[in-house]
PDB file of all heavy atoms in Angstrom:
ATOM      1  N   GLU A  87      44.185  16.617 -29.384  1.00 97.00           N
ATOM      2  CA  GLU A  87      43.383  15.936 -30.398  1.00 97.00           C
ATOM      3  C   GLU A  87      41.904  16.191 -30.102  1.00 97.00           C
ATOM      4  O   GLU A  87      41.454  15.915 -28.973  1.00 97.00           O
ATOM      5  CB  GLU A  87      43.691  14.421 -30.276  1.00 97.00           C
ATOM      6  CG  GLU A  87      43.242  13.583 -31.422  1.00 97.00           C
ATOM      7  CD  GLU A  87      44.181  13.666 -32.624  1.00 97.00           C
ATOM      8  OE1 GLU A  87      45.418  13.771 -32.423  1.00 97.00           O
ATOM      9  OE2 GLU A  87      43.675  13.623 -33.732  1.00 97.00           O
ATOM     10  N   PRO A  88      41.126  16.722 -31.090  1.00 97.00           N
ATOM     11  CA  PRO A  88      39.746  17.145 -30.809  1.00 97.00           C
ATOM     12  C   PRO A  88      38.911  16.056 -30.087  1.00 97.00           C
ATOM     13  O   PRO A  88      38.234  16.349 -29.110  1.00 97.00           O
ATOM     14  CB  PRO A  88      39.179  17.480 -32.182  1.00 97.00           C
ATOM     15  CG  PRO A  88      40.378  17.885 -32.967  1.00 97.00           C
ATOM     16  CD  PRO A  88      41.515  17.057 -32.463  1.00 97.00           C
ATOM     17  N   ALA A  89      38.939  14.849 -30.584  1.00 98.00           N
ATOM     18  CA  ALA A  89      38.142  13.780 -29.968  1.00 98.00           C
ATOM     19  C   ALA A  89      38.548  13.567 -28.499  1.00 98.00           C
ATOM     20  O   ALA A  89      37.691  13.419 -27.630  1.00 98.00           O
ATOM     21  CB  ALA A  89      38.274  12.490 -30.738  1.00 98.00           C
ATOM     22  N   HIS A  90      39.855  13.623 -28.247  1.00 98.00           N
ATOM     23  CA  HIS A  90      40.333  13.432 -26.884  1.00 98.00           C
ATOM     24  C   HIS A  90      39.937  14.605 -26.004  1.00 98.00           C
ATOM     25  O   HIS A  90      39.540  14.424 -24.850  1.00 98.00           O
ATOM     26  CB  HIS A  90      41.863  13.274 -26.859  1.00 98.00           C
ATOM     27  CG  HIS A  90      42.351  12.082 -27.642  1.00 98.00           C
ATOM     28  ND1 HIS A  90      43.632  11.981 -28.118  1.00 98.00           N
ATOM     29  CD2 HIS A  90      41.688  10.966 -28.030  1.00 98.00           C
ATOM     30  CE1 HIS A  90      43.764  10.819 -28.766  1.00 98.00           C
ATOM     31  NE2 HIS A  90      42.588  10.203 -28.740  1.00 98.00           N
ATOM     32  N   ALA A  91      40.077  15.848 -26.543  1.00 98.00           N
ATOM     33  CA  ALA A  91      39.735  17.040 -25.762  1.00 98.00           C
ATOM     34  C   ALA A  91      38.251  17.007 -25.366  1.00 98.00           C
ATOM     35  O   ALA A  91      37.891  17.307 -24.231  1.00 98.00           O
ATOM     36  CB  ALA A  91      40.052  18.288 -26.564  1.00 98.00           C
ATOM     37  N   ILE A  92      37.408  16.633 -26.330  1.00 98.00           N
ATOM     38  CA  ILE A  92      35.957  16.578 -26.055  1.00 98.00           C
ATOM     39  C   ILE A  92      35.672  15.525 -24.973  1.00 98.00           C
ATOM     40  O   ILE A  92      34.924  15.783 -24.029  1.00 98.00           O
ATOM     41  CB  ILE A  92      35.174  16.284 -27.342  1.00 98.00           C
ATOM     42  CG1 ILE A  92      35.247  17.479 -28.296  1.00 98.00           C
ATOM     43  CG2 ILE A  92      33.713  15.951 -27.020  1.00 98.00           C
ATOM     44  CD1 ILE A  92      34.795  17.187 -29.715  1.00 98.00           C
ATOM     45  N   LEU A  93      36.286  14.338 -25.107  1.00 98.00           N
ATOM     46  CA  LEU A  93      36.056  13.302 -24.115  1.00 98.00           C
ATOM     47  C   LEU A  93      36.603  13.717 -22.737  1.00 98.00           C
ATOM     48  O   LEU A  93      35.988  13.418 -21.714  1.00 98.00           O
ATOM     49  CB  LEU A  93      36.721  11.985 -24.576  1.00 98.00           C
ATOM     50  CG  LEU A  93      35.989  11.254 -25.688  1.00 98.00           C
ATOM     51  CD1 LEU A  93      36.849  10.107 -26.227  1.00 98.00           C
ATOM     52  CD2 LEU A  93      34.649  10.709 -25.181  1.00 98.00           C
ATOM     53  N   LEU A  94      37.740  14.415 -22.738  1.00 98.00           N
ATOM     54  CA  LEU A  94      38.315  14.870 -21.456  1.00 98.00           C
ATOM     55  C   LEU A  94      37.396  15.886 -20.756  1.00 98.00           C
ATOM     56  O   LEU A  94      37.211  15.860 -19.548  1.00 98.00           O
ATOM     57  CB  LEU A  94      39.698  15.453 -21.661  1.00 98.00           C
ATOM     58  CG  LEU A  94      40.835  14.458 -21.936  1.00 98.00           C
ATOM     59  CD1 LEU A  94      42.118  15.152 -22.330  1.00 98.00           C
ATOM     60  CD2 LEU A  94      41.075  13.568 -20.709  1.00 98.00           C
ATOM     61  N   ILE A  95      36.819  16.788 -21.561  1.00 98.00           N
ATOM     62  CA  ILE A  95      35.901  17.795 -20.988  1.00 98.00           C
ATOM     63  C   ILE A  95      34.661  17.101 -20.434  1.00 98.00           C
ATOM     64  O   ILE A  95      34.173  17.414 -19.351  1.00 98.00           O
ATOM     65  CB  ILE A  95      35.566  18.882 -22.035  1.00 98.00           C
ATOM     66  CG1 ILE A  95      36.789  19.751 -22.305  1.00 98.00           C
ATOM     67  CG2 ILE A  95      34.387  19.740 -21.553  1.00 98.00           C
ATOM     68  CD1 ILE A  95      36.635  20.733 -23.421  1.00 98.00           C
ATOM     69  N   LEU A  96      34.131  16.116 -21.202  1.00 98.00           N
ATOM     70  CA  LEU A  96      32.982  15.336 -20.709  1.00 98.00           C
ATOM     71  C   LEU A  96      33.361  14.640 -19.425  1.00 98.00           C
ATOM     72  O   LEU A  96      32.570  14.580 -18.468  1.00 98.00           O
ATOM     73  CB  LEU A  96      32.560  14.320 -21.767  1.00 98.00           C
ATOM     74  CG  LEU A  96      31.762  14.872 -22.978  1.00 98.00           C
ATOM     75  CD1 LEU A  96      31.581  13.765 -24.023  1.00 98.00           C
ATOM     76  CD2 LEU A  96      30.406  15.387 -22.496  1.00 98.00           C
ATOM     77  N   LEU A  97      34.566  14.070 -19.381  1.00 98.00           N
ATOM     78  CA  LEU A  97      35.029  13.358 -18.201  1.00 98.00           C
ATOM     79  C   LEU A  97      35.062  14.286 -16.979  1.00 98.00           C
ATOM     80  O   LEU A  97      34.563  13.949 -15.911  1.00 98.00           O
ATOM     81  CB  LEU A  97      36.397  12.728 -18.438  1.00 98.00           C
ATOM     82  CG  LEU A  97      37.074  12.103 -17.201  1.00 98.00           C
ATOM     83  CD1 LEU A  97      36.351  10.824 -16.787  1.00 98.00           C
ATOM     84  CD2 LEU A  97      38.548  11.811 -17.466  1.00 98.00           C
ATOM     85  N   VAL A  98      35.656  15.492 -17.182  1.00 98.00           N
ATOM     86  CA  VAL A  98      35.775  16.432 -16.080  1.00 98.00           C
ATOM     87  C   VAL A  98      34.378  16.812 -15.535  1.00 98.00           C
ATOM     88  O   VAL A  98      34.119  16.751 -14.345  1.00 98.00           O
ATOM     89  CB  VAL A  98      36.554  17.703 -16.503  1.00 98.00           C
ATOM     90  CG1 VAL A  98      36.435  18.798 -15.457  1.00 98.00           C
ATOM     91  CG2 VAL A  98      38.026  17.339 -16.714  1.00 98.00           C
ATOM     92  N   PHE A  99      33.491  17.192 -16.448  1.00 98.00           N
ATOM     93  CA  PHE A  99      32.136  17.584 -16.048  1.00 98.00           C
ATOM     94  C   PHE A  99      31.446  16.461 -15.283  1.00 98.00           C
ATOM     95  O   PHE A  99      30.907  16.668 -14.182  1.00 98.00           O
ATOM     96  CB  PHE A  99      31.284  17.928 -17.276  1.00 98.00           C
ATOM     97  CG  PHE A  99      31.276  19.399 -17.609  1.00 98.00           C
ATOM     98  CD1 PHE A  99      31.496  19.820 -18.911  1.00 98.00           C
ATOM     99  CD2 PHE A  99      31.054  20.355 -16.621  1.00 98.00           C
ATOM    100  CE1 PHE A  99      31.507  21.148 -19.230  1.00 98.00           C
ATOM    101  CE2 PHE A  99      31.069  21.697 -16.933  1.00 98.00           C
ATOM    102  CZ  PHE A  99      31.300  22.090 -18.246  1.00 98.00           C
ATOM    103  N   THR A 100      31.434  15.271 -15.876  1.00 98.00           N
ATOM    104  CA  THR A 100      30.682  14.160 -15.291  1.00 98.00           C
ATOM    105  C   THR A 100      31.289  13.738 -13.972  1.00 98.00           C
ATOM    106  O   THR A 100      30.595  13.488 -12.995  1.00 98.00           O
ATOM    107  CB  THR A 100      30.689  12.961 -16.283  1.00 98.00           C
ATOM    108  OG1 THR A 100      30.476  13.460 -17.594  1.00 98.00           O
ATOM    109  CG2 THR A 100      29.588  11.971 -15.932  1.00 98.00           C
ATOM    110  N   LEU A 101      32.631  13.659 -13.918  1.00 98.00           N
ATOM    111  CA  LEU A 101      33.325  13.252 -12.703  1.00 98.00           C
ATOM    112  C   LEU A 101      33.102  14.241 -11.569  1.00 98.00           C
ATOM    113  O   LEU A 101      32.790  13.864 -10.433  1.00 98.00           O
ATOM    114  CB  LEU A 101      34.842  13.132 -13.014  1.00 98.00           C
ATOM    115  CG  LEU A 101      35.757  12.794 -11.835  1.00 98.00           C
ATOM    116  CD1 LEU A 101      35.438  11.438 -11.263  1.00 98.00           C
ATOM    117  CD2 LEU A 101      37.218  12.873 -12.273  1.00 98.00           C
ATOM    118  N   VAL A 102      33.231  15.550 -11.876  1.00 98.00           N
ATOM    119  CA  VAL A 102      33.088  16.568 -10.848  1.00 98.00           C
ATOM    120  C   VAL A 102      31.633  16.603 -10.333  1.00 98.00           C
ATOM    121  O   VAL A 102      31.401  16.717  -9.121  1.00 98.00           O
ATOM    122  CB  VAL A 102      33.525  17.942 -11.373  1.00 98.00           C
ATOM    123  CG1 VAL A 102      33.129  19.055 -10.407  1.00 98.00           C
ATOM    124  CG2 VAL A 102      35.021  17.957 -11.575  1.00 98.00           C
ATOM    125  N   TYR A 103      30.677  16.482 -11.244  1.00 98.00           N
ATOM    126  CA  TYR A 103      29.268  16.457 -10.821  1.00 98.00           C
ATOM    127  C   TYR A 103      28.992  15.248  -9.922  1.00 98.00           C
ATOM    128  O   TYR A 103      28.418  15.378  -8.842  1.00 98.00           O
ATOM    129  CB  TYR A 103      28.385  16.427 -12.093  1.00 98.00           C
ATOM    130  CG  TYR A 103      26.923  16.697 -11.841  1.00 98.00           C
ATOM    131  CD1 TYR A 103      26.455  17.197 -10.641  1.00 98.00           C
ATOM    132  CD2 TYR A 103      25.985  16.469 -12.860  1.00 98.00           C
ATOM    133  CE1 TYR A 103      25.104  17.468 -10.435  1.00 98.00           C
ATOM    134  CE2 TYR A 103      24.644  16.726 -12.663  1.00 98.00           C
ATOM    135  CZ  TYR A 103      24.189  17.210 -11.464  1.00 98.00           C
ATOM    136  OH  TYR A 103      22.863  17.456 -11.264  1.00 98.00           O
ATOM    137  N   HIS A 104      29.438  14.089 -10.372  1.00 98.00           N
ATOM    138  CA  HIS A 104      29.252  12.844  -9.596  1.00 98.00           C
ATOM    139  C   HIS A 104      29.923  12.950  -8.220  1.00 98.00           C
ATOM    140  O   HIS A 104      29.342  12.572  -7.200  1.00 98.00           O
ATOM    141  CB  HIS A 104      29.820  11.677 -10.384  1.00 98.00           C
ATOM    142  CG  HIS A 104      29.560  10.311  -9.808  1.00 98.00           C
ATOM    143  ND1 HIS A 104      28.339   9.671  -9.942  1.00 98.00           N
ATOM    144  CD2 HIS A 104      30.334   9.479  -9.088  1.00 98.00           C
ATOM    145  CE1 HIS A 104      28.392   8.493  -9.329  1.00 98.00           C
ATOM    146  NE2 HIS A 104      29.594   8.338  -8.801  1.00 98.00           N
ATOM    147  N   SER A 105      31.123  13.509  -8.219  1.00 98.00           N
ATOM    148  CA  SER A 105      31.883  13.659  -6.985  1.00 98.00           C
ATOM    149  C   SER A 105      31.183  14.610  -6.030  1.00 98.00           C
ATOM    150  O   SER A 105      31.093  14.353  -4.825  1.00 98.00           O
ATOM    151  CB  SER A 105      33.287  14.167  -7.308  1.00 98.00           C
ATOM    152  OG  SER A 105      33.962  14.557  -6.132  1.00 98.00           O
ATOM    153  N   SER A 106      30.660  15.730  -6.540  1.00 98.00           N
ATOM    154  CA  SER A 106      30.013  16.709  -5.678  1.00 98.00           C
ATOM    155  C   SER A 106      28.738  16.124  -5.066  1.00 98.00           C
ATOM    156  O   SER A 106      28.454  16.342  -3.873  1.00 98.00           O
ATOM    157  CB  SER A 106      29.772  18.018  -6.411  1.00 98.00           C
ATOM    158  OG  SER A 106      28.546  17.986  -7.080  1.00 98.00           O
ATOM    159  N   LEU A 107      27.996  15.350  -5.859  1.00 98.00           N
ATOM    160  CA  LEU A 107      26.784  14.720  -5.328  1.00 98.00           C
ATOM    161  C   LEU A 107      27.127  13.707  -4.244  1.00 98.00           C
ATOM    162  O   LEU A 107      26.471  13.628  -3.212  1.00 98.00           O
ATOM    163  CB  LEU A 107      25.998  14.022  -6.456  1.00 98.00           C
ATOM    164  CG  LEU A 107      25.382  14.910  -7.521  1.00 98.00           C
ATOM    165  CD1 LEU A 107      24.906  14.085  -8.714  1.00 98.00           C
ATOM    166  CD2 LEU A 107      24.206  15.682  -6.937  1.00 98.00           C
ATOM    167  N   GLY A 108      28.189  12.922  -4.464  1.00 98.00           N
ATOM    168  CA  GLY A 108      28.582  11.891  -3.521  1.00 98.00           C
ATOM    169  C   GLY A 108      29.144  12.497  -2.248  1.00 98.00           C
ATOM    170  O   GLY A 108      28.778  12.084  -1.140  1.00 98.00           O
ATOM    171  N   MET A 109      30.026  13.492  -2.381  1.00 98.00           N
ATOM    172  CA  MET A 109      30.627  14.124  -1.209  1.00 98.00           C
ATOM    173  C   MET A 109      29.552  14.814  -0.370  1.00 98.00           C
ATOM    174  O   MET A 109      29.609  14.821   0.860  1.00 98.00           O
ATOM    175  CB  MET A 109      31.700  15.141  -1.625  1.00 98.00           C
ATOM    176  CG  MET A 109      32.973  14.526  -2.172  1.00 98.00           C
ATOM    177  SD  MET A 109      33.813  13.488  -0.975  1.00 98.00           S
ATOM    178  CE  MET A 109      34.351  14.695   0.225  1.00 98.00           C
ATOM    179  N   GLN A 110      28.558  15.386  -1.047  1.00 96.00           N
ATOM    180  CA  GLN A 110      27.445  16.042  -0.320  1.00 96.00           C
ATOM    181  C   GLN A 110      26.753  15.060   0.605  1.00 96.00           C
ATOM    182  O   GLN A 110      26.515  15.371   1.786  1.00 96.00           O
ATOM    183  CB  GLN A 110      26.443  16.584  -1.350  1.00 96.00           C
ATOM    184  CG  GLN A 110      25.268  17.314  -0.726  1.00 96.00           C
ATOM    185  CD  GLN A 110      24.119  17.507  -1.691  1.00 96.00           C
ATOM    186  OE1 GLN A 110      24.293  17.526  -2.907  1.00 96.00           O
ATOM    187  NE2 GLN A 110      22.920  17.618  -1.151  1.00 96.00           N
ATOM    188  N   VAL A 111      26.476  13.849   0.101  1.00 95.00           N
ATOM    189  CA  VAL A 111      25.784  12.836   0.922  1.00 95.00           C
ATOM    190  C   VAL A 111      26.664  12.388   2.101  1.00 95.00           C
ATOM    191  O   VAL A 111      26.184  12.238   3.231  1.00 95.00           O
ATOM    192  CB  VAL A 111      25.399  11.641   0.054  1.00 95.00           C
ATOM    193  CG1 VAL A 111      24.800  10.539   0.903  1.00 95.00           C
ATOM    194  CG2 VAL A 111      24.387  12.054  -1.008  1.00 95.00           C
ATOM    195  N   VAL A 112      27.961  12.198   1.812  1.00 96.00           N
ATOM    196  CA  VAL A 112      28.868  11.764   2.864  1.00 96.00           C
ATOM    197  C   VAL A 112      28.946  12.817   3.981  1.00 96.00           C
ATOM    198  O   VAL A 112      28.881  12.487   5.172  1.00 96.00           O
ATOM    199  CB  VAL A 112      30.267  11.482   2.292  1.00 96.00           C
ATOM    200  CG1 VAL A 112      31.293  11.283   3.390  1.00 96.00           C
ATOM    201  CG2 VAL A 112      30.228  10.262   1.382  1.00 96.00           C
ATOM    202  N   ILE A 113      29.044  14.077   3.589  1.00 96.00           N
ATOM    203  CA  ILE A 113      29.097  15.172   4.590  1.00 96.00           C
ATOM    204  C   ILE A 113      27.783  15.227   5.379  1.00 96.00           C
ATOM    205  O   ILE A 113      27.806  15.320   6.618  1.00 96.00           O
ATOM    206  CB  ILE A 113      29.381  16.524   3.896  1.00 96.00           C
ATOM    207  CG1 ILE A 113      30.783  16.533   3.300  1.00 96.00           C
ATOM    208  CG2 ILE A 113      29.228  17.680   4.882  1.00 96.00           C
ATOM    209  CD1 ILE A 113      30.985  17.617   2.251  1.00 96.00           C
ATOM    210  N   GLU A 114      26.683  15.124   4.678  1.00 93.00           N
ATOM    211  CA  GLU A 114      25.367  15.175   5.362  1.00 93.00           C
ATOM    212  C   GLU A 114      25.238  14.030   6.365  1.00 93.00           C
ATOM    213  O   GLU A 114      24.605  14.175   7.412  1.00 93.00           O
ATOM    214  CB  GLU A 114      24.239  15.113   4.338  1.00 93.00           C
ATOM    215  CG  GLU A 114      24.028  16.398   3.582  1.00 93.00           C
ATOM    216  CD  GLU A 114      23.092  16.251   2.405  1.00 93.00           C
ATOM    217  OE1 GLU A 114      22.724  15.100   2.052  1.00 93.00           O
ATOM    218  OE2 GLU A 114      22.724  17.286   1.817  1.00 93.00           O
ATOM    219  N   ASP A 115      25.818  12.875   6.027  1.00 91.00           N
ATOM    220  CA  ASP A 115      25.667  11.710   6.899  1.00 91.00           C
ATOM    221  C   ASP A 115      26.603  11.707   8.089  1.00 91.00           C
ATOM    222  O   ASP A 115      26.273  11.164   9.140  1.00 91.00           O
ATOM    223  CB  ASP A 115      25.942  10.414   6.093  1.00 91.00           C
ATOM    224  CG  ASP A 115      24.749  10.018   5.247  1.00 91.00           C
ATOM    225  OD1 ASP A 115      23.705  10.689   5.368  1.00 91.00           O
ATOM    226  OD2 ASP A 115      24.851   9.038   4.486  1.00 91.00           O
ATOM    227  N   TYR A 116      27.789  12.304   7.970  1.00 92.00           N
ATOM    228  CA  TYR A 116      28.801  12.119   9.008  1.00 92.00           C
ATOM    229  C   TYR A 116      29.158  13.383   9.799  1.00 92.00           C
ATOM    230  O   TYR A 116      29.800  13.302  10.836  1.00 92.00           O
ATOM    231  CB  TYR A 116      30.079  11.501   8.432  1.00 92.00           C
ATOM    232  CG  TYR A 116      29.838  10.161   7.802  1.00 92.00           C
ATOM    233  CD1 TYR A 116      30.264   9.877   6.522  1.00 92.00           C
ATOM    234  CD2 TYR A 116      29.153   9.153   8.505  1.00 92.00           C
ATOM    235  CE1 TYR A 116      30.027   8.627   5.934  1.00 92.00           C
ATOM    236  CE2 TYR A 116      28.921   7.921   7.928  1.00 92.00           C
ATOM    237  CZ  TYR A 116      29.355   7.664   6.635  1.00 92.00           C
ATOM    238  OH  TYR A 116      29.119   6.453   6.082  1.00 92.00           O
ATOM    239  N   ILE A 117      28.801  14.563   9.284  1.00 92.00           N
ATOM    240  CA  ILE A 117      29.085  15.785  10.056  1.00 92.00           C
ATOM    241  C   ILE A 117      27.781  16.224  10.714  1.00 92.00           C
ATOM    242  O   ILE A 117      26.819  16.564  10.008  1.00 92.00           O
ATOM    243  CB  ILE A 117      29.671  16.898   9.160  1.00 92.00           C
ATOM    244  CG1 ILE A 117      31.016  16.402   8.582  1.00 92.00           C
ATOM    245  CG2 ILE A 117      29.897  18.167   9.985  1.00 92.00           C
ATOM    246  CD1 ILE A 117      31.723  17.454   7.754  1.00 92.00           C
ATOM    247  N   HIS A 118      27.770  16.221  12.049  1.00 89.00           N
ATOM    248  CA  HIS A 118      26.497  16.471  12.735  1.00 89.00           C
ATOM    249  C   HIS A 118      26.449  17.824  13.434  1.00 89.00           C
ATOM    250  O   HIS A 118      25.446  18.173  14.024  1.00 89.00           O
ATOM    251  CB  HIS A 118      26.221  15.355  13.753  1.00 89.00           C
ATOM    252  CG  HIS A 118      26.097  14.027  13.095  1.00 89.00           C
ATOM    253  ND1 HIS A 118      25.202  13.788  12.058  1.00 89.00           N
ATOM    254  CD2 HIS A 118      26.739  12.849  13.272  1.00 89.00           C
ATOM    255  CE1 HIS A 118      25.304  12.531  11.652  1.00 89.00           C
ATOM    256  NE2 HIS A 118      26.252  11.927  12.370  1.00 89.00           N
ATOM    257  N   VAL A 119      27.534  18.596  13.392  1.00 91.00           N
ATOM    258  CA  VAL A 119      27.525  19.932  13.980  1.00 91.00           C
ATOM    259  C   VAL A 119      26.867  20.866  12.956  1.00 91.00           C
ATOM    260  O   VAL A 119      27.405  21.021  11.838  1.00 91.00           O
ATOM    261  CB  VAL A 119      28.960  20.417  14.293  1.00 91.00           C
ATOM    262  CG1 VAL A 119      28.928  21.757  14.999  1.00 91.00           C
ATOM    263  CG2 VAL A 119      29.674  19.385  15.150  1.00 91.00           C
ATOM    264  N   PRO A 120      25.729  21.457  13.299  1.00 87.00           N
ATOM    265  CA  PRO A 120      24.938  22.198  12.275  1.00 87.00           C
ATOM    266  C   PRO A 120      25.725  23.235  11.519  1.00 87.00           C
ATOM    267  O   PRO A 120      25.706  23.257  10.297  1.00 87.00           O
ATOM    268  CB  PRO A 120      23.837  22.843  13.112  1.00 87.00           C
ATOM    269  CG  PRO A 120      23.713  21.987  14.352  1.00 87.00           C
ATOM    270  CD  PRO A 120      25.081  21.454  14.621  1.00 87.00           C
ATOM    271  N   GLY A 121      26.437  24.133  12.209  1.00 93.00           N
ATOM    272  CA  GLY A 121      27.170  25.182  11.514  1.00 93.00           C
ATOM    273  C   GLY A 121      28.268  24.622  10.636  1.00 93.00           C
ATOM    274  O   GLY A 121      28.416  24.999   9.475  1.00 93.00           O
ATOM    275  N   ALA A 122      29.032  23.668  11.203  1.00 95.00           N
ATOM    276  CA  ALA A 122      30.149  23.072  10.467  1.00 95.00           C
ATOM    277  C   ALA A 122      29.654  22.360   9.222  1.00 95.00           C
ATOM    278  O   ALA A 122      30.286  22.394   8.164  1.00 95.00           O
ATOM    279  CB  ALA A 122      30.927  22.131  11.370  1.00 95.00           C
ATOM    280  N   LYS A 123      28.485  21.696   9.361  1.00 95.00           N
ATOM    281  CA  LYS A 123      27.941  20.929   8.225  1.00 95.00           C
ATOM    282  C   LYS A 123      27.710  21.842   7.020  1.00 95.00           C
ATOM    283  O   LYS A 123      28.172  21.562   5.912  1.00 95.00           O
ATOM    284  CB  LYS A 123      26.640  20.253   8.636  1.00 95.00           C
ATOM    285  CG  LYS A 123      25.921  19.576   7.476  1.00 95.00           C
ATOM    286  CD  LYS A 123      24.658  18.891   7.910  1.00 95.00           C
ATOM    287  CE  LYS A 123      24.934  17.520   8.497  1.00 95.00           C
ATOM    288  NZ  LYS A 123      23.690  16.762   8.748  1.00 95.00           N
ATOM    289  N   VAL A 124      27.042  22.965   7.255  1.00 95.00           N
ATOM    290  CA  VAL A 124      26.745  23.891   6.157  1.00 95.00           C
ATOM    291  C   VAL A 124      28.035  24.449   5.561  1.00 95.00           C
ATOM    292  O   VAL A 124      28.223  24.532   4.362  1.00 95.00           O
ATOM    293  CB  VAL A 124      25.821  25.043   6.625  1.00 95.00           C
ATOM    294  CG1 VAL A 124      25.648  26.078   5.539  1.00 95.00           C
ATOM    295  CG2 VAL A 124      24.478  24.467   7.050  1.00 95.00           C
ATOM    296  N   LEU A 125      28.958  24.807   6.467  1.00 97.00           N
ATOM    297  CA  LEU A 125      30.234  25.396   6.052  1.00 97.00           C
ATOM    298  C   LEU A 125      30.991  24.421   5.138  1.00 97.00           C
ATOM    299  O   LEU A 125      31.478  24.787   4.068  1.00 97.00           O
ATOM    300  CB  LEU A 125      31.069  25.729   7.288  1.00 97.00           C
ATOM    301  CG  LEU A 125      32.032  26.896   7.163  1.00 97.00           C
ATOM    302  CD1 LEU A 125      31.221  28.190   7.009  1.00 97.00           C
ATOM    303  CD2 LEU A 125      32.949  26.981   8.365  1.00 97.00           C
ATOM    304  N   VAL A 126      31.113  23.166   5.575  1.00 97.00           N
ATOM    305  CA  VAL A 126      31.843  22.170   4.792  1.00 97.00           C
ATOM    306  C   VAL A 126      31.121  21.873   3.486  1.00 97.00           C
ATOM    307  O   VAL A 126      31.743  21.766   2.408  1.00 97.00           O
ATOM    308  CB  VAL A 126      32.046  20.884   5.619  1.00 97.00           C
ATOM    309  CG1 VAL A 126      32.690  19.798   4.766  1.00 97.00           C
ATOM    310  CG2 VAL A 126      32.892  21.157   6.846  1.00 97.00           C
ATOM    311  N   LEU A 127      29.790  21.786   3.540  1.00 97.00           N
ATOM    312  CA  LEU A 127      29.017  21.559   2.307  1.00 97.00           C
ATOM    313  C   LEU A 127      29.296  22.658   1.281  1.00 97.00           C
ATOM    314  O   LEU A 127      29.550  22.367   0.102  1.00 97.00           O
ATOM    315  CB  LEU A 127      27.512  21.519   2.628  1.00 97.00           C
ATOM    316  CG  LEU A 127      26.928  20.215   3.125  1.00 97.00           C
ATOM    317  CD1 LEU A 127      25.482  20.392   3.536  1.00 97.00           C
ATOM    318  CD2 LEU A 127      27.035  19.142   2.034  1.00 97.00           C
ATOM    319  N   VAL A 128      29.247  23.912   1.725  1.00 97.00           N
ATOM    320  CA  VAL A 128      29.471  25.031   0.795  1.00 97.00           C
ATOM    321  C   VAL A 128      30.902  25.014   0.280  1.00 97.00           C
ATOM    322  O   VAL A 128      31.151  25.153  -0.915  1.00 97.00           O
ATOM    323  CB  VAL A 128      29.129  26.370   1.492  1.00 97.00           C
ATOM    324  CG1 VAL A 128      29.550  27.550   0.637  1.00 97.00           C
ATOM    325  CG2 VAL A 128      27.638  26.454   1.813  1.00 97.00           C
TER     326      VAL A 128
END
Side-chain angles (χ1 to χ4, degrees):
Chain A
E87 194 79 35
H90 299 159
I92 291 167
L93 285 170
L94 286 172
I95 290 172
L96 284 173
L97 173 70
V98 168
F99 267 132
T100 317
L101 176 64
V102 169
Y103 192 12
H104 187 78
S105 168
S106 87
L107 292 168
M109 288 299 292
Q110 181 196 335
V111 174
V112 169
I113 293 162
E114 285 169 351
D115 281 355
Y116 300 128
I117 298 185
H118 298 306
V119 184
K123 174 179 278 188
V124 173
L125 210 66
V126 175
L127 276 173
V128 171

